[in-house]
Amino acid sequence: MTLTHTPEPGTALWLYAHPLRGSLNDHLFQAGTEALSEQYTVLTSDLHAQRFDPVLGDRDFGGRTGSIVQITADAYRRGEHAADVREEQAKLAAAELLVIQFPLWWYGPPAILKGWFDRVLTNEFAYGDVDSVLGIPRRYGDGQLAGRRALVIVTVGEDARSLGTRGISGDIDSLLFPLTHGTLWYTGVGSFDLHVIYDADSLGSEGLQQETERLRDRLKAIDSEPADRFRRLADGDYHGTRALREDIHPGRTDLGIHLSEALG
């Protein structure tokens, strides 16, 4: 498989979405980028500090009408994306490791982060090719960004039981499945196990120190972790349909069926 965008070895992009300086997230952002810089050249996208506009709009369409998917694909091919989008695409294309950090708001990422995906992960840049041998789209493990890995760092106000498999809020892996599978894996980016900071609103100074050290330790060992957690579309598990074959995990309907055999 040929990568459309070959990353620069030893380069990481830290994508950060939190508005407050001096917050828990800000502290972890500063400590995390410092720790990761011991192993990587770390590029950053501090979306609030950059005043990144998350709203997909006229400047992204260049006055064209029709399918948004096709319009943004044409804009990418012609180099007509807005300057802020081109800058973010360049950083992402260069990175072999992506760190995405945000607080869980209303059971999902903040709007500014969702808007970054809407505007930056365009057709032709992040997805769009068809496998010339298999005749299927290069998606779900085989997108334009294939070969990259992502660590998702999320702070939550609830405890691990509330966000567990029987928790009232739903388990955190399922809540973030649209990100880890529907966004990252769709474009070819494998994701590590989530890095979750529970009870984020009541950590205290001791808890803050513990979470800072836990993050530093995680980052130091990140290259030894497996990241391809989900099944690839190209491997035949969804042959002839977009539903998992009936002989794989028969009777199960949970999202865990899409994990790779080693994990599922």
Side-chain angles (χ1 to χ4, degrees), residues 111-127:
I112 197 170
L113 180 57
K114 175 59 165 61
W116 189 91
F117 294 130
D118 290 345
R119 294 190 63 213
V120 174
L121 300 185
T122 61
N123 189 11
E124 295 292 334
F125 171 73
Y127 65 96

Side-chain angles (χ1 to χ4, degrees), residues 3-6 13 69 72-77 81 85-95 116-117 119-129 138 143-146 148 187 189:
L3 298 182
T4 302
H5 313 291
T6 303
L13 170 61
V69 171
T72 55
D74 291 343
Y76 174 70
R77 284 195 297 267
H81 277 316
V85 169
R86 294 199 304 272
E87 180 180 352
E88 296 304 308
Q89 289 179 338
K91 286 188 284 188
L92 180 54
W116 189 91
F117 294 130
R119 294 190 63 213
V120 174
L121 300 185
T122 61
N123 189 11
E124 295 292 334
F125 171 73
Y127 65 96
D129 271 359
R138 287 185 52 197
Q144 315 291 67
L145 302 177
R148 290 163 177 78
T187 61
V189 182

Side-chain angles (χ1 to χ4, degrees), residues 18-146:
H18 195 283
L20 293 179
R21 292 293 172 258
S23 64
L24 165 64
N25 268 278
D26 183 44
H27 177 85
L28 294 175
F29 174 55
Q30 302 299 333
T33 52
E34 180 182 7
L36 190 61
S37 65
E38 297 178 6
Q39 304 163 252
Y40 286 84
T41 297
V42 181
L43 310 174
T44 61
S45 288
D46 183 344
L47 300 185
H48 286 279
Q50 294 172 200
R51 297 185 180 277
F52 181 81
D53 187 345
V55 180
L56 185 69
D58 290 343
R59 68 196 177 289
D60 300 296
F61 305 148
R64 298 182 180 88
T65 59
S67 164
I68 289 178
V69 171
Q70 191 57 53
I71 291 170
T72 55
D74 291 343
Y76 174 70
R77 284 195 297 267
R78 299 177 184 181
E80 295 175 352
H81 277 316
D84 59 345
V85 169
R86 294 199 304 272
E87 180 180 352
E88 296 304 308
Q89 289 179 338
K91 286 188 284 188
L92 180 54
E96 63 174 354
L97 173 65
L98 176 62
V99 180
I100 306 173
Q101 181 194 346
F102 59 91
L104 190 74
W105 286 351
W106 293 112
Y107 297 94
I112 197 170
L113 180 57
K114 175 59 165 61
W116 189 91
F117 294 130
D118 290 345
R119 294 190 63 213
V120 174
L121 300 185
T122 61
N123 189 11
E124 295 292 334
F125 171 73
Y127 65 96
D129 271 359
V130 173
D131 188 296
S132 59
V133 176
L134 299 176
I136 60 175
R138 287 185 52 197
R139 298 171 192 169
Y140 296 108
D142 193 23
Q144 315 291 67
L145 302 177

Side-chain angles (χ1 to χ4, degrees), residues 199-240:
D199 295 314
D201 298 328
S202 57
L203 281 180
S205 58
E206 183 177 347
L208 175 60
Q209 183 61 34
Q210 290 174 349
E211 289 297 341
T212 301
E213 291 305 315
R214 185 168 74 92
L215 178 58
R216 285 174 175 154
D217 290 343
R218 180 85 188 270
L219 293 170
K220 288 179 182 177
I222 199 66
D223 288 338
S224 65
E225 294 187 28
D228 292 336
R229 303 173 61 236
F230 297 110
R231 299 175 186 272
R232 296 173 67 246
L233 176 63
D235 287 344
D237 292 346
Y238 305 89
H239 182 66

